[in-house]
PDB file of all heavy atoms in Angstrom:
ATOM      1  N   VAL F 954      34.663 -14.721 -11.924  1.00 42.00           N
ATOM      2  CA  VAL F 954      34.367 -14.578 -13.362  1.00 42.00           C
ATOM      3  C   VAL F 954      34.849 -13.306 -13.940  1.00 42.00           C
ATOM      4  O   VAL F 954      35.434 -13.198 -14.850  1.00 42.00           O
ATOM      5  CB  VAL F 954      32.843 -14.867 -13.529  1.00 42.00           C
ATOM      6  CG1 VAL F 954      32.537 -14.741 -15.081  1.00 42.00           C
ATOM      7  CG2 VAL F 954      32.362 -16.180 -13.061  1.00 42.00           C
ATOM      8  N   GLU F 955      34.582 -12.247 -13.219  1.00 42.00           N
ATOM      9  CA  GLU F 955      34.816 -10.889 -13.795  1.00 42.00           C
ATOM     10  C   GLU F 955      36.211 -10.458 -13.307  1.00 42.00           C
ATOM     11  O   GLU F 955      36.421  -9.715 -12.406  1.00 42.00           O
ATOM     12  CB  GLU F 955      33.786  -9.932 -13.241  1.00 42.00           C
ATOM     13  CG  GLU F 955      32.403 -10.133 -13.845  1.00 42.00           C
ATOM     14  CD  GLU F 955      31.363  -9.149 -13.279  1.00 42.00           C
ATOM     15  OE1 GLU F 955      31.779  -8.289 -12.494  1.00 42.00           O
ATOM     16  OE2 GLU F 955      30.268  -9.349 -13.601  1.00 42.00           O
ATOM     17  N   VAL F 956      37.070 -11.094 -14.068  1.00 41.00           N
ATOM     18  CA  VAL F 956      38.485 -10.694 -13.703  1.00 41.00           C
ATOM     19  C   VAL F 956      39.091  -9.838 -14.852  1.00 41.00           C
ATOM     20  O   VAL F 956      39.220 -10.231 -15.979  1.00 41.00           O
ATOM     21  CB  VAL F 956      39.397 -11.926 -13.493  1.00 41.00           C
ATOM     22  CG1 VAL F 956      40.890 -11.591 -13.064  1.00 41.00           C
ATOM     23  CG2 VAL F 956      38.811 -12.848 -12.509  1.00 41.00           C
ATOM     24  N   GLY F 957      39.373  -8.520 -14.442  1.00 54.00           N
ATOM     25  CA  GLY F 957      39.893  -7.703 -15.450  1.00 54.00           C
ATOM     26  C   GLY F 957      41.413  -7.920 -15.640  1.00 54.00           C
ATOM     27  O   GLY F 957      41.994  -8.784 -14.962  1.00 54.00           O
ATOM     28  N   HIS F 958      41.997  -7.192 -16.562  1.00 55.00           N
ATOM     29  CA  HIS F 958      43.429  -7.406 -16.813  1.00 55.00           C
ATOM     30  C   HIS F 958      44.300  -7.125 -15.598  1.00 55.00           C
ATOM     31  O   HIS F 958      45.183  -7.879 -15.287  1.00 55.00           O
ATOM     32  CB  HIS F 958      43.820  -6.519 -17.939  1.00 55.00           C
ATOM     33  CG  HIS F 958      45.275  -6.630 -18.371  1.00 55.00           C
ATOM     34  ND1 HIS F 958      45.833  -7.777 -18.866  1.00 55.00           N
ATOM     35  CD2 HIS F 958      46.281  -5.773 -18.083  1.00 55.00           C
ATOM     36  CE1 HIS F 958      47.055  -7.583 -19.067  1.00 55.00           C
ATOM     37  NE2 HIS F 958      47.520  -6.409 -18.658  1.00 55.00           N
ATOM     38  N   LYS F 959      43.970  -6.071 -14.877  1.00 54.00           N
ATOM     39  CA  LYS F 959      44.712  -5.696 -13.714  1.00 54.00           C
ATOM     40  C   LYS F 959      44.719  -6.743 -12.659  1.00 54.00           C
ATOM     41  O   LYS F 959      45.696  -7.091 -12.062  1.00 54.00           O
ATOM     42  CB  LYS F 959      44.266  -4.365 -13.161  1.00 54.00           C
ATOM     43  CG  LYS F 959      45.202  -3.532 -12.372  1.00 54.00           C
ATOM     44  CD  LYS F 959      44.653  -2.245 -11.968  1.00 54.00           C
ATOM     45  CE  LYS F 959      45.747  -1.530 -11.065  1.00 54.00           C
ATOM     46  NZ  LYS F 959      45.219  -0.194 -10.669  1.00 54.00           N
ATOM     47  N   LEU F 960      43.455  -7.331 -12.518  1.00 58.00           N
ATOM     48  CA  LEU F 960      43.323  -8.379 -11.526  1.00 58.00           C
ATOM     49  C   LEU F 960      44.012  -9.531 -11.857  1.00 58.00           C
ATOM     50  O   LEU F 960      44.707 -10.302 -10.986  1.00 58.00           O
ATOM     51  CB  LEU F 960      41.862  -8.675 -11.240  1.00 58.00           C
ATOM     52  CG  LEU F 960      41.377  -9.038  -9.921  1.00 58.00           C
ATOM     53  CD1 LEU F 960      41.860  -8.055  -8.861  1.00 58.00           C
ATOM     54  CD2 LEU F 960      39.837  -9.312  -9.886  1.00 58.00           C
ATOM     55  N   GLU F 961      44.073  -9.863 -13.129  1.00 63.00           N
ATOM     56  CA  GLU F 961      44.870 -11.014 -13.673  1.00 63.00           C
ATOM     57  C   GLU F 961      46.304 -10.887 -13.249  1.00 63.00           C
ATOM     58  O   GLU F 961      46.981 -11.827 -12.893  1.00 63.00           O
ATOM     59  CB  GLU F 961      44.636 -11.212 -15.166  1.00 63.00           C
ATOM     60  CG  GLU F 961      43.291 -11.934 -15.538  1.00 63.00           C
ATOM     61  CD  GLU F 961      43.233 -11.888 -17.049  1.00 63.00           C
ATOM     62  OE1 GLU F 961      44.214 -11.717 -17.692  1.00 63.00           O
ATOM     63  OE2 GLU F 961      42.086 -12.017 -17.477  1.00 63.00           O
ATOM     64  N   GLN F 962      46.821  -9.727 -13.581  1.00 62.00           N
ATOM     65  CA  GLN F 962      48.205  -9.413 -13.274  1.00 62.00           C
ATOM     66  C   GLN F 962      48.421  -9.579 -11.713  1.00 62.00           C
ATOM     67  O   GLN F 962      49.474 -10.268 -11.298  1.00 62.00           O
ATOM     68  CB  GLN F 962      48.597  -7.967 -13.603  1.00 62.00           C
ATOM     69  CG  GLN F 962      48.524  -7.657 -15.124  1.00 62.00           C
ATOM     70  CD  GLN F 962      49.546  -8.329 -15.798  1.00 62.00           C
ATOM     71  OE1 GLN F 962      50.734  -8.364 -15.396  1.00 62.00           O
ATOM     72  NE2 GLN F 962      49.174  -9.017 -16.911  1.00 62.00           N
ATOM     73  N   GLN F 963      47.581  -9.165 -10.956  1.00 67.00           N
ATOM     74  CA  GLN F 963      47.636  -9.182  -9.486  1.00 67.00           C
ATOM     75  C   GLN F 963      47.667 -10.640  -9.104  1.00 67.00           C
ATOM     76  O   GLN F 963      48.445 -11.055  -8.265  1.00 67.00           O
ATOM     77  CB  GLN F 963      46.500  -8.437  -8.843  1.00 67.00           C
ATOM     78  CG  GLN F 963      46.736  -8.048  -7.446  1.00 67.00           C
ATOM     79  CD  GLN F 963      45.593  -7.325  -6.844  1.00 67.00           C
ATOM     80  OE1 GLN F 963      44.564  -7.267  -7.409  1.00 67.00           O
ATOM     81  NE2 GLN F 963      45.874  -6.675  -5.628  1.00 67.00           N
ATOM     82  N   GLN F 964      46.749 -11.336  -9.665  1.00 71.00           N
ATOM     83  CA  GLN F 964      46.670 -12.885  -9.483  1.00 71.00           C
ATOM     84  C   GLN F 964      47.922 -13.585  -9.819  1.00 71.00           C
ATOM     85  O   GLN F 964      48.479 -14.336  -8.924  1.00 71.00           O
ATOM     86  CB  GLN F 964      45.471 -13.374 -10.227  1.00 71.00           C
ATOM     87  CG  GLN F 964      45.270 -14.825  -9.986  1.00 71.00           C
ATOM     88  CD  GLN F 964      44.217 -15.379 -10.973  1.00 71.00           C
ATOM     89  OE1 GLN F 964      43.946 -14.789 -11.929  1.00 71.00           O
ATOM     90  NE2 GLN F 964      43.895 -16.621 -10.646  1.00 71.00           N
ATOM     91  N   LEU F 965      48.406 -13.215 -10.992  1.00 71.00           N
ATOM     92  CA  LEU F 965      49.688 -13.814 -11.368  1.00 71.00           C
ATOM     93  C   LEU F 965      50.895 -13.538 -10.401  1.00 71.00           C
ATOM     94  O   LEU F 965      51.576 -14.397 -10.058  1.00 71.00           O
ATOM     95  CB  LEU F 965      50.086 -13.328 -12.869  1.00 71.00           C
ATOM     96  CG  LEU F 965      51.216 -13.991 -13.660  1.00 71.00           C
ATOM     97  CD1 LEU F 965      50.954 -15.433 -13.725  1.00 71.00           C
ATOM     98  CD2 LEU F 965      51.334 -13.370 -14.925  1.00 71.00           C
ATOM     99  N   ARG F 966      50.902 -12.272  -9.984  1.00 71.00           N
ATOM    100  CA  ARG F 966      51.835 -11.825  -9.073  1.00 71.00           C
ATOM    101  C   ARG F 966      51.767 -12.653  -7.686  1.00 71.00           C
ATOM    102  O   ARG F 966      52.779 -13.116  -7.130  1.00 71.00           O
ATOM    103  CB  ARG F 966      51.670 -10.342  -8.709  1.00 71.00           C
ATOM    104  CG  ARG F 966      52.356  -9.474  -9.716  1.00 71.00           C
ATOM    105  CD  ARG F 966      52.169  -8.034  -9.370  1.00 71.00           C
ATOM    106  NE  ARG F 966      52.966  -7.243 -10.150  1.00 71.00           N
ATOM    107  CZ  ARG F 966      53.516  -6.105  -9.689  1.00 71.00           C
ATOM    108  NH1 ARG F 966      53.360  -5.598  -8.495  1.00 71.00           N
ATOM    109  NH2 ARG F 966      54.295  -5.395 -10.479  1.00 71.00           N
ATOM    110  N   LYS F 967      50.565 -12.771  -7.251  1.00 74.00           N
ATOM    111  CA  LYS F 967      50.352 -13.474  -5.973  1.00 74.00           C
ATOM    112  C   LYS F 967      50.667 -14.994  -6.197  1.00 74.00           C
ATOM    113  O   LYS F 967      51.333 -15.590  -5.192  1.00 74.00           O
ATOM    114  CB  LYS F 967      48.879 -13.438  -5.580  1.00 74.00           C
ATOM    115  CG  LYS F 967      48.466 -12.073  -4.901  1.00 74.00           C
ATOM    116  CD  LYS F 967      46.991 -12.101  -4.330  1.00 74.00           C
ATOM    117  CE  LYS F 967      47.071 -12.766  -2.938  1.00 74.00           C
ATOM    118  NZ  LYS F 967      47.797 -11.978  -1.937  1.00 74.00           N
ATOM    119  N   LEU F 968      50.471 -15.572  -7.274  1.00 78.00           N
ATOM    120  CA  LEU F 968      50.826 -16.901  -7.615  1.00 78.00           C
ATOM    121  C   LEU F 968      52.347 -17.118  -7.593  1.00 78.00           C
ATOM    122  O   LEU F 968      52.988 -17.992  -7.006  1.00 78.00           O
ATOM    123  CB  LEU F 968      50.278 -17.419  -8.932  1.00 78.00           C
ATOM    124  CG  LEU F 968      48.730 -17.667  -8.870  1.00 78.00           C
ATOM    125  CD1 LEU F 968      48.262 -17.914 -10.376  1.00 78.00           C
ATOM    126  CD2 LEU F 968      48.377 -18.770  -8.064  1.00 78.00           C
ATOM    127  N   LEU F 969      53.076 -16.085  -8.184  1.00 78.00           N
ATOM    128  CA  LEU F 969      54.435 -16.113  -8.168  1.00 78.00           C
ATOM    129  C   LEU F 969      55.066 -15.958  -6.976  1.00 78.00           C
ATOM    130  O   LEU F 969      56.016 -16.645  -6.498  1.00 78.00           O
ATOM    131  CB  LEU F 969      55.005 -15.035  -9.208  1.00 78.00           C
ATOM    132  CG  LEU F 969      54.948 -15.297 -10.643  1.00 78.00           C
ATOM    133  CD1 LEU F 969      55.221 -14.001 -11.494  1.00 78.00           C
ATOM    134  CD2 LEU F 969      55.828 -16.383 -11.073  1.00 78.00           C
ATOM    135  N   GLU F 970      54.460 -15.117  -6.131  1.00 78.00           N
ATOM    136  CA  GLU F 970      54.815 -14.884  -4.776  1.00 78.00           C
ATOM    137  C   GLU F 970      54.807 -16.109  -3.877  1.00 78.00           C
ATOM    138  O   GLU F 970      55.835 -16.540  -3.305  1.00 78.00           O
ATOM    139  CB  GLU F 970      53.950 -13.739  -4.151  1.00 78.00           C
ATOM    140  CG  GLU F 970      54.163 -13.613  -2.590  1.00 78.00           C
ATOM    141  CD  GLU F 970      52.905 -13.225  -1.959  1.00 78.00           C
ATOM    142  OE1 GLU F 970      52.112 -12.440  -2.599  1.00 78.00           O
ATOM    143  OE2 GLU F 970      52.746 -13.589  -0.752  1.00 78.00           O
ATOM    144  N   SER F 971      53.681 -16.839  -4.081  1.00 81.00           N
ATOM    145  CA  SER F 971      53.611 -18.006  -3.322  1.00 81.00           C
ATOM    146  C   SER F 971      54.506 -19.076  -3.868  1.00 81.00           C
ATOM    147  O   SER F 971      55.104 -19.917  -3.117  1.00 81.00           O
ATOM    148  CB  SER F 971      52.228 -18.501  -3.139  1.00 81.00           C
ATOM    149  OG  SER F 971      51.689 -18.945  -4.378  1.00 81.00           O
ATOM    150  N   GLY F 972      54.666 -19.106  -5.163  1.00 84.00           N
ATOM    151  CA  GLY F 972      55.623 -20.022  -5.843  1.00 84.00           C
ATOM    152  C   GLY F 972      56.971 -19.740  -5.333  1.00 84.00           C
ATOM    153  O   GLY F 972      57.759 -20.670  -5.115  1.00 84.00           O
ATOM    154  N   LEU F 973      57.378 -18.554  -5.239  1.00 84.00           N
ATOM    155  CA  LEU F 973      58.750 -18.213  -4.788  1.00 84.00           C
ATOM    156  C   LEU F 973      59.071 -18.699  -3.400  1.00 84.00           C
ATOM    157  O   LEU F 973      60.161 -19.232  -3.021  1.00 84.00           O
ATOM    158  CB  LEU F 973      58.918 -16.650  -4.811  1.00 84.00           C
ATOM    159  CG  LEU F 973      59.372 -15.983  -6.133  1.00 84.00           C
ATOM    160  CD1 LEU F 973      59.363 -14.550  -5.941  1.00 84.00           C
ATOM    161  CD2 LEU F 973      60.743 -16.391  -6.466  1.00 84.00           C
ATOM    162  N   ASN F 974      57.998 -18.660  -2.652  1.00 82.00           N
ATOM    163  CA  ASN F 974      58.109 -19.040  -1.152  1.00 82.00           C
ATOM    164  C   ASN F 974      58.316 -20.546  -1.108  1.00 82.00           C
ATOM    165  O   ASN F 974      58.725 -21.116  -0.062  1.00 82.00           O
ATOM    166  CB  ASN F 974      56.903 -18.588  -0.343  1.00 82.00           C
ATOM    167  CG  ASN F 974      56.828 -17.158  -0.193  1.00 82.00           C
ATOM    168  OD1 ASN F 974      57.868 -16.531  -0.202  1.00 82.00           O
ATOM    169  ND2 ASN F 974      55.646 -16.708   0.063  1.00 82.00           N
ATOM    170  N   GLU F 975      57.886 -21.257  -2.085  1.00 84.00           N
ATOM    171  CA  GLU F 975      58.119 -22.683  -2.113  1.00 84.00           C
ATOM    172  C   GLU F 975      59.327 -23.240  -2.702  1.00 84.00           C
ATOM    173  O   GLU F 975      59.630 -24.414  -2.676  1.00 84.00           O
ATOM    174  CB  GLU F 975      56.799 -23.323  -2.795  1.00 84.00           C
ATOM    175  CG  GLU F 975      55.584 -23.231  -2.092  1.00 84.00           C
ATOM    176  CD  GLU F 975      54.382 -23.646  -2.862  1.00 84.00           C
ATOM    177  OE1 GLU F 975      54.436 -24.239  -4.048  1.00 84.00           O
ATOM    178  OE2 GLU F 975      53.171 -23.154  -2.489  1.00 84.00           O
ATOM    179  N   LEU F 976      60.143 -22.297  -3.282  1.00 85.00           N
ATOM    180  CA  LEU F 976      61.400 -22.758  -3.860  1.00 85.00           C
ATOM    181  C   LEU F 976      62.434 -23.011  -2.758  1.00 85.00           C
ATOM    182  O   LEU F 976      62.346 -22.448  -1.625  1.00 85.00           O
ATOM    183  CB  LEU F 976      61.930 -21.706  -4.842  1.00 85.00           C
ATOM    184  CG  LEU F 976      61.165 -21.240  -5.984  1.00 85.00           C
ATOM    185  CD1 LEU F 976      61.831 -20.173  -6.757  1.00 85.00           C
ATOM    186  CD2 LEU F 976      60.802 -22.455  -6.899  1.00 85.00           C
ATOM    187  N   SER F 977      63.441 -23.723  -3.120  1.00 85.00           N
ATOM    188  CA  SER F 977      64.620 -23.916  -2.132  1.00 85.00           C
ATOM    189  C   SER F 977      65.305 -22.679  -2.068  1.00 85.00           C
ATOM    190  O   SER F 977      65.166 -21.752  -2.899  1.00 85.00           O
ATOM    191  CB  SER F 977      65.473 -25.024  -2.586  1.00 85.00           C
ATOM    192  OG  SER F 977      66.267 -24.609  -3.701  1.00 85.00           O
ATOM    193  N   ALA F 978      66.076 -22.543  -0.996  1.00 83.00           N
ATOM    194  CA  ALA F 978      66.797 -21.217  -0.769  1.00 83.00           C
ATOM    195  C   ALA F 978      67.704 -20.890  -1.946  1.00 83.00           C
ATOM    196  O   ALA F 978      67.748 -19.694  -2.312  1.00 83.00           O
ATOM    197  CB  ALA F 978      67.623 -21.357   0.525  1.00 83.00           C
ATOM    198  N   ASN F 979      68.409 -21.921  -2.424  1.00 85.00           N
ATOM    199  CA  ASN F 979      69.286 -21.563  -3.595  1.00 85.00           C
ATOM    200  C   ASN F 979      68.550 -21.219  -4.818  1.00 85.00           C
ATOM    201  O   ASN F 979      68.878 -20.376  -5.590  1.00 85.00           O
ATOM    202  CB  ASN F 979      70.165 -22.811  -3.822  1.00 85.00           C
ATOM    203  CG  ASN F 979      71.395 -22.726  -2.931  1.00 85.00           C
ATOM    204  OD1 ASN F 979      71.875 -21.804  -2.492  1.00 85.00           O
ATOM    205  ND2 ASN F 979      71.861 -24.005  -2.572  1.00 85.00           N
ATOM    206  N   GLN F 980      67.352 -21.866  -5.183  1.00 88.00           N
ATOM    207  CA  GLN F 980      66.582 -21.545  -6.249  1.00 88.00           C
ATOM    208  C   GLN F 980      65.977 -20.260  -6.142  1.00 88.00           C
ATOM    209  O   GLN F 980      66.124 -19.450  -7.168  1.00 88.00           O
ATOM    210  CB  GLN F 980      65.544 -22.604  -6.408  1.00 88.00           C
ATOM    211  CG  GLN F 980      65.898 -23.995  -6.855  1.00 88.00           C
ATOM    212  CD  GLN F 980      64.812 -25.081  -6.802  1.00 88.00           C
ATOM    213  OE1 GLN F 980      63.749 -24.778  -6.259  1.00 88.00           O
ATOM    214  NE2 GLN F 980      65.136 -26.194  -7.330  1.00 88.00           N
ATOM    215  N   ARG F 981      65.600 -19.877  -4.976  1.00 88.00           N
ATOM    216  CA  ARG F 981      64.970 -18.534  -4.845  1.00 88.00           C
ATOM    217  C   ARG F 981      66.067 -17.480  -5.015  1.00 88.00           C
ATOM    218  O   ARG F 981      65.834 -16.472  -5.716  1.00 88.00           O
ATOM    219  CB  ARG F 981      64.316 -18.487  -3.400  1.00 88.00           C
ATOM    220  CG  ARG F 981      63.638 -17.112  -3.260  1.00 88.00           C
ATOM    221  CD  ARG F 981      62.996 -16.851  -1.972  1.00 88.00           C
ATOM    222  NE  ARG F 981      62.619 -15.417  -1.673  1.00 88.00           N
ATOM    223  CZ  ARG F 981      61.429 -15.020  -1.420  1.00 88.00           C
ATOM    224  NH1 ARG F 981      60.499 -15.830  -1.191  1.00 88.00           N
ATOM    225  NH2 ARG F 981      61.206 -13.729  -1.227  1.00 88.00           N
ATOM    226  N   ALA F 982      67.200 -17.806  -4.505  1.00 88.00           N
ATOM    227  CA  ALA F 982      68.303 -16.883  -4.499  1.00 88.00           C
ATOM    228  C   ALA F 982      68.719 -16.736  -6.038  1.00 88.00           C
ATOM    229  O   ALA F 982      68.880 -15.559  -6.437  1.00 88.00           O
ATOM    230  CB  ALA F 982      69.488 -17.399  -3.772  1.00 88.00           C
TER     231      ALA F 982
END
Side-chain angles (χ1 to χ4, degrees):
Chain F
V954 181
E955 292 175 5
V956 182
H958 179 67
K959 203 173 174 182
L960 208 54
E961 279 176 21
Q962 295 290 314
Q963 200 179 15
Q964 180 189 10
L965 189 56
R966 281 180 166 212
K967 281 188 80 69
L968 288 172
L969 282 172
E970 170 212 327
S971 69
L973 273 174
N974 291 335
E975 288 169 18
L976 299 183
S977 74
N979 277 328
Q980 284 169 357
R981 181 174 172 133

